[in-house]
Amino acid sequence: MEAYHQVVASLPLWLRPPLLKIPSQTAAYVHEIRLRSGGPIVLVVNGSPTVTVENLILTQSQIEEILFVLCGGSLYAHETEIAQGYVLLPGGHRVGIGGKYVQDQTGNVVLQKVTSLNLRIARFQAGSLEPVLQNIVASPFSTLLIGGEPGSGKTTTLRNIVTYFSQNKELCTVIDERGEIFPYGMYGQTGCDCIQGLNKITAIEMALRTLGPRVLLVDELVSMQETQLLEMGAHTGVNLIITMHASTLLELEQKQQVQYLLAHKILRYACILMGRASPGAVREVKQYW
């Protein structure tokens, strides 16, 4: 519930009262606050959307004001994040931005008009790993790939794995490009090294070259270049833990990056999480060799 209140406190004063009226037992399970121009406030609770204030319809000017306040009064200070479709709030909470973007000939992206905001609430309570994952990471696992739909608990699972390694005094490094896995200043408490603020390609190279991890954790693997760099790490004996968006094992295995890892005998385990209704719970695990 404290995480929910932290996010609400970042909103304009006029918007806070209706969001603070919801019961505490509901607030503790809110994963997202969705705000849209021309629409009501929608809370996503355990994966299900619920309209919280039916008679409050947000206007375009209100959505623009909300984004301005979330950026601390300076859109310019967050222009790099906004160009990637989000703003990161203190505490690791992320605001996804929907609207009209324009891209110039050099590839620079600018938000022209914001029409919706999705405030995703980050909760950092330490939890225990499910036995099936604990058994995997307790052995030489080479590479573990964790797949799940948005909101299924991939990032939470990474945090719990880091906690497990810290308790067992294992050297691990987290590539945290957007500062979502551990908010700034928090990762020191985990006993891991963390590289934040850099694109994953640069950060992976830096981690392998300078930090000497036994385990490297990478959230949201996207490109083939990132995948090939991770292959280099695997060949030096580093165990890899990667997350990707996918709702089934079949969907995961059809991704180009996963096919590459499988073809080069790098990927040993893949698991799929249950989904929004049970964040962090494992649905299925597959061992490849």
Side-chain angles (χ1 to χ4, degrees):
M1 189 170 66
E2 290 181 5
Y4 174 81
H5 287 158
Q6 184 180 34
V7 171
V8 172
S10 68
L11 293 166
L13 289 174
W14 59 265
L15 187 54
R16 298 177 194 177
L19 290 169
L20 293 175
K21 287 180 180 178
I22 70 168
S24 58
Q25 59 268 31
T26 301
Y29 294 97
V30 174
H31 297 297
E32 298 173 348
I33 303 172
R34 292 183 173 266
L35 311 172
R36 297 185 180 96
S37 175
I41 300 171
V42 175
L43 303 182
V44 178
V45 183
N46 289 332
S48 300
T50 302
V51 175
T52 181
V53 185
E54 296 187 22
N55 61 344
L56 176 59
I57 302 299
L58 298 172
T59 66
Q60 177 61 34
S61 61
Q62 286 175 327
I63 289 292
E64 292 170 0
E65 178 192 351
I66 293 167
L67 178 59
F68 182 76
V69 172
L70 290 172
C71 290
S74 175
L75 298 179
Y76 175 78
H78 295 270
E79 63 178 355
T80 301
E81 295 175 0
I82 292 173
Q84 298 179 61
Y86 76 98
V87 169
L88 194 64
L89 302 179
H93 314 289
R94 184 173 66 177
V95 183
I97 303 171
K100 183 178 180 181
Y101 291 81
V102 293
Q103 188 170 14
D104 62 26
Q105 295 179 344
T106 64
N108 293 323
V109 175
V110 176
L111 176 66
Q112 191 174 69
K113 181 179 181 180
V114 55
T115 56
S116 63
L117 299 166
N118 178 23
L119 287 74
R120 295 186 63 181
I121 298 171
R123 292 184 170 88
F124 299 94
Q125 295 92 339
S128 58
L129 281 178
E130 290 204 11
V132 64
L133 290 181
Q134 187 168 323
N135 289 338
I136 289 173
V137 300
S139 62
F141 55 87
S142 182
T143 300
L144 166 64
L145 178 57
I146 302 170
E149 62 185 28
S152 61
K154 297 186 297 298
T155 302
T156 298
T157 300
L158 281 186
R159 294 189 195 108
N160 292 339
I161 289 174
V162 170
T163 299
Y164 173 84
F165 285 136
S166 177
Q167 292 171 346
N168 288 275
K169 297 180 171 56
E170 292 285 3
L171 298 175
C172 63
T173 297
V174 178
I175 305 302
D176 190 6
E177 182 177 358
R178 297 178 176 180
E180 294 178 288
I181 303 174
F182 295 109
Y184 180 76
M186 182 179 178
Y187 52 81
Q189 305 169 24
T190 69
C192 74
D193 297 310
C194 187
I195 297 178
Q196 293 182 327
L198 296 177
N199 66 76
K200 285 191 282 291
I201 293 170
T202 302
I204 290 169
E205 289 179 329
M206 185 182 296
L208 294 174
R209 187 176 65 250
T210 66
L211 293 176
R214 191 190 79 84
V215 184
L216 183 66
L217 299 94
V218 181
D219 199 12
E220 296 188 12
L221 182 67
V222 176
S223 73
M224 282 302 299
Q225 189 174 355
E226 295 166 2
T227 305
Q228 290 163 353
L229 277 174
L230 291 176
E231 179 190 11
M232 293 173 54
H235 289 322
T236 63
V238 177
N239 289 315
L240 307 172
I241 299 178
I242 309 161
T243 71
M244 294 183 75
H245 289 297
S247 56
T248 66
L249 272 175
L250 179 60
E251 181 185 343
L252 197 64
E253 292 170 343
Q254 289 175 338
K255 292 180 180 289
Q256 183 184 16
Q257 305 94 312
V258 178
Q259 292 177 359
Y260 183 93
L261 294 173
L262 288 171
H264 290 76
K265 301 294 184 183
I266 298 168
L267 180 59
R268 187 169 188 183
Y269 296 98
C271 82
I272 290 291
L273 301 180
M274 290 288 289
R276 292 174 179 268
S278 303
V282 175
R283 173 189 295 163
E284 186 178 2
V285 173
K286 185 172 181 179
Q287 181 175 349
Y288 295 97
W289 51 272

